[in-house]
Amino acid sequence: MTRIFTSLAAIALIGTATAALAQRSPAYQAARAAGEVGEQPDGYLGVVGSVSAEVRAMVNSINIQRKAAYTQQSASSGATVEQFAFTSGCNLIGQTAPGEKYKGPDGQWKTRGATAPERDSRCI
């Protein structure tokens, strides 16, 4: 089981790097900096609090792109889409910058400080 997660982690890093580049639009950056969106352990972007319809639509669009990437990449890795998405979520939370939002293992939104973010104990 650990071997599968290690393989998934390596593949997810490649996939999330590509997806992350596509998500660095000015609107995405602004929403992220304002704390309106954050990374979730399930590998998808989440809405933090009340946001505009435009931000919600952007999050939905990004999540559709992520699901498509996870589906494609999981097919070649032998993992389920959910396993691949979870591994990607671990990596994306780990890549947050200080001041950015992420959902902790307790399900609460947190703001990344100078230290590593709190991640699920199953994250590698």
Side-chain angles (χ1 to χ4, degrees):
M1 186 72 150
T2 303
R3 187 174 176 190
I4 291 174
F5 280 122
T6 303
S7 297
L8 286 174
I11 295 168
L13 282 173
I14 295 166
T16 56
T18 304
L21 290 174
Q23 297 165 19
R24 296 298 175 170
S25 72
Y28 173 76
Q29 290 290 9
R32 199 167 177 109
E36 296 176 323
V37 300
E39 296 297 343
Q40 301 181 123
D42 65 0
Y44 296 96
L45 193 61
V47 171
V48 181
S50 298
V51 297
S52 68
E54 291 82 15
V55 169
R56 192 167 297 282
M58 177 188 61
V59 167
N60 290 338
S61 175
I62 288 170
N63 285 338
I64 288 168
Q65 292 172 35
R66 286 186 181 186
K67 174 108 186 210
Y70 298 157
T71 300
Q72 180 182 23
Q73 293 165 347
S74 69
S76 63
S77 72
T80 67
V81 174
E82 292 77 18
Q83 288 171 322
F84 198 89
F86 175 79
T87 302
S88 295
C90 289
N91 293 330
L92 289 165
I93 288 172
Q95 294 170 7
T96 56
E100 293 181 336
K101 297 284 190 183
Y102 69 95
K103 196 172 273 189
D106 61 0
Q108 299 297 312
W109 286 109
K110 301 183 183 296
T111 302
R112 168 90 187 254
T115 60
E118 296 174 45
R119 296 188 310 164
D120 189 289
S121 62
R122 296 171 291 165
C123 292
I124 299 172

